[in-house]
């Protein structure tokens, strides 16, 4: 009778692969570093953009001598909207902006918008509200500039450098991106703000 020898399986002890573990750890570290770098980049962008709005509010209020001459600030009786809106010379809302120029309600809305957006971005709170308000403000200012126009209402060249994209559109997209990315959590009060009961119950306040 033939006897067949069956292959015998012997338990083997496998040492953990140091190479694989090291590769996984390196990948994890790289991902963490990339995430942190992205957070710092968004936080820096948030602070710089916030300062743009906050500085515009301060200069128009106190007349630091930059865009607003000294003695012509809001507290000195100057109008933050009259110069800009009265100089609108193109677009479908030209006459409407002329009517709004220097109006008390227009001054208050414009200045409160600058202040609110600036404070929200610098502090890192209420970024969704800031995105809505900032987009609305930038849209109105884009219409006032009216980049699509080749000529102004008096027939002179508008000197528009692009028929669609200008800095108002860029600012709007940046503010929206900051809100979507939750950029207030780094170098800001976003995490603390999110823990407030009213913010937890109404996520649109984040």
């Amino acid at each position: 009778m033939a006897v067949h020898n069956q292959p015998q399986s012997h338990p083997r002890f496998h040492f953990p692969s140091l190479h694989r573990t090291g590769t996984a750890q390196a990948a994890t570290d790289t991902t963490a570093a990339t995430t942190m770098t992205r957070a710092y980049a968004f936080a820096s962008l948030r602070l710089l953009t916030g300062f743009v709005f906050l500085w515009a509010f301060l200069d128009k209020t106190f007349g630091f001598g930059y865009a607003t001459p000294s003695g012509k600030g809001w507290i000195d009786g100057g109008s933050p909207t009259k110069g800009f809106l009265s100089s609108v010379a193109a677009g479908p809302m030209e006459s409407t902006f002329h009517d709004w120029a220097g109006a008390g309600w227009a001054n208050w809305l414009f200045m409160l918008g600058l202040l609110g957006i600036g404070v929200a971005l610098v502090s890192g709170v209420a970024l969704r509200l800031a995105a809505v308000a900032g987009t609305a403000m930038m849209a109105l200012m884009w219409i006032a500039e009216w980049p699509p126009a080749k000529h102004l209402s008096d027939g002179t060249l508008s000197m528009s450098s692009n028929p669609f994209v200008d800095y108002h559109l860029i600012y709007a997209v940046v503010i929206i991106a900051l809100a979507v990315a939750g950029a207030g959590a780094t170098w800001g009060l976003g995490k603390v703000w999110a823990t407030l009961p009213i913010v937890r119950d109404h996520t649109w306040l984040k």
Side-chain angles (χ1 to χ4, degrees), residues 1-204:
M1 182 176 69
V3 178
H4 298 281
N5 293 325
Q6 299 295 329
Q8 297 181 357
S9 59
H10 299 282
R12 297 180 180 179
F13 179 78
H14 297 280
F15 288 97
S17 175
L18 297 179
H19 175 70
R20 292 181 180 178
T21 303
T23 302
Q25 184 63 43
T28 301
D29 292 343
T30 300
T31 301
T34 301
T35 301
M36 188 61 66
T37 301
R38 185 183 297 115
Y40 288 150
F42 273 112
S44 300
L45 182 61
R46 190 198 83 236
L47 291 171
L48 291 173
T49 306
F51 184 70
V52 170
F53 284 86
L54 199 55
W55 174 261
F57 169 80
L58 294 173
D59 185 53
K60 292 179 183 299
T61 299
F62 300 104
F64 290 146
Y66 289 88
T68 305
S70 180
K72 296 293 183 65
W74 196 22
I75 62 172
D76 300 311
S79 171
T81 63
K82 187 174 184 179
F84 176 68
L85 293 182
S86 61
S87 65
V88 173
M93 293 183 63
E94 179 180 351
S95 60
T96 302
F97 285 133
H98 290 171
D99 293 338
W100 292 356
W105 64 267
N107 290 336
W108 276 97
L109 281 179
F110 179 60
M111 295 299 282
L112 289 177
L114 290 177
L115 177 62
I117 297 168
V119 170
L121 291 176
V122 170
S123 62
V125 303
L127 294 186
R128 294 182 182 180
L129 285 176
V132 173
T135 299
M137 178 182 289
M138 293 299 103
L140 287 172
M141 296 182 75
W142 185 90
I143 295 173
E145 294 280 355
W146 199 244
K150 292 182 178 180
H151 298 85
L152 302 178
S153 55
D154 61 2
T156 60
L157 291 175
S158 67
M159 304 303 290
S160 176
S161 60
N162 190 295
F164 178 65
V165 179
D166 76 342
Y167 64 97
H168 297 109
L169 181 61
I170 300 299
Y171 280 139
V173 172
V174 166
I175 299 173
I176 292 172
L178 293 173
V180 171
T186 302
W187 296 343
L189 302 175
K191 290 182 179 180
V192 176
W193 176 259
T195 62
L196 298 179
I198 188 173
V199 178
R200 290 201 306 266
D201 296 338
H202 303 85
T203 56
W204 55 271

